[in-house]
Amino acid sequence: MAEIGNDPVVVIGLGRFGTSLALELARRGTEVLAIDNRPKIVQSLSGRLTHIVTADATDVDTLRELGVADFYRAVVAIGGDLEASILSTSLLVELDIDDIWAKAVSRQHARILERVGAHHIVLPEQDMGERVAHLVSGRMLDYVEVDENFALVKTLPPKEIVGVPLGETRLRGKHGVTVVSVKRPGEDFTYASVDTVLEYGDVILIAGPINKVERFAERA
């Protein structure tokens, strides 16, 4: 998922995704108001989240009473109850929340959430499935899709670019990709430059259009 930032965040729905999100935001020092309509869930998390309440997020008056309208950013993490997900999202729009994130369980659900006013859609199950499929089917060590047709891939350098300064490989012209970072064995990732000379055993991060980074990773 994209960076949410350090402004206070309302998280509505504390299933696996919402709970994980709320706890990670809190760990990073972000103020979180967590809302769920199930008392047992709220009770189980009360010692781990400072601001957590049992409430009906499909009621606009309840949201106003909780001060949700004062937040800049909110996440609707409800997955199982589509009606509640859509209604909660529409109420956040009504409250003029500037930055609304919403979890969707299908492309159709995502389209509806976009229509009612969500600014960002998260499809965690589908996104993870697509990511794992890329890793299973090829030689990539990791894969992150950063836009509809652009990805960042961790892979090994193919033989053709080992031992040659990157500036002389003409990677972008030949393959349409850029090496943005390199990791030597036992070291951390560092930025790659035109003078970087890759060695066998290095791990590289490459960026570019999805079809081109996939093809390039297969050369490793």
Side-chain angles (χ1 to χ4, degrees):
M1 168 175 194
E3 183 66 46
I4 286 189
N6 207 40
D7 292 306
V9 179
V10 177
V11 177
I12 297 173
L14 296 173
R16 283 181 297 177
F17 174 73
T19 296
S20 175
L21 173 66
L23 290 173
E24 177 61 18
L25 287 170
R27 187 189 69 80
R28 295 184 182 195
T30 300
E31 181 184 345
V32 177
L33 170 61
I35 303 171
D36 197 282
N37 63 357
R38 295 165 294 180
K40 287 185 178 180
I41 296 291
V42 170
Q43 185 177 2
S44 70
L45 292 168
S46 60
R48 304 171 70 188
L49 292 169
T50 305
H51 307 293
I52 181 169
V53 295
T54 304
D56 179 8
T58 65
D59 182 277
V60 69
D61 292 329
T62 297
L63 295 179
R64 285 198 179 99
E65 289 172 7
L66 292 173
V68 171
D70 296 328
F71 282 74
Y72 172 82
R73 183 170 285 119
V75 181
V76 178
I78 302 169
D81 188 337
L82 299 190
E83 183 179 353
S85 165
I86 295 163
L87 183 53
S88 295
T89 302
S90 67
L91 292 181
L92 293 176
V93 174
E94 184 179 331
L95 293 174
D96 293 323
I97 303 298
D98 292 285
D99 197 23
I100 302 170
W101 298 66
K103 174 189 174 182
V105 296
S106 67
R107 293 292 182 190
Q108 183 180 19
H109 184 199
R111 285 194 292 271
I112 295 171
L113 291 170
E114 286 176 338
R115 288 188 189 120
V116 300
H119 304 108
H120 310 276
I121 304 298
V122 182
L123 281 148
E125 287 85 0
Q126 183 162 332
D127 291 344
M128 181 56 71
E130 291 173 356
R131 176 172 174 267
V132 172
H134 279 93
L135 300 180
V136 169
S137 64
R139 297 190 179 186
M140 290 173 274
L141 304 176
D142 206 350
Y143 172 93
V144 178
E145 188 172 322
V146 295
D147 204 350
E148 186 175 351
N149 188 37
F150 200 86
L152 188 68
V153 166
K154 181 164 72 171
T155 187
L156 302 176
K159 182 170 66 173
E160 67 183 89
I161 65 171
V162 171
V164 183
L166 284 175
E168 297 178 16
T169 62
R170 298 173 57 201
L171 273 183
R172 193 175 298 178
K174 288 181 180 179
H175 302 290
V177 304
T178 301
V179 176
V180 296
S181 189
V182 58
K183 185 180 188 301
R184 309 286 190 197
E187 299 180 9
D188 296 328
F189 272 104
T190 59
Y191 291 112
S193 71
V194 293
D195 298 320
T196 299
V197 178
L198 299 176
E199 303 171 1
Y200 290 111
D202 289 346
V203 174
I204 57 175
L205 290 179
I206 59 172
I210 290 174
N211 62 331
K212 293 183 178 180
V213 294
E214 288 177 339
R215 280 202 297 267
F216 185 78
E218 287 302 310
R219 305 174 75 89

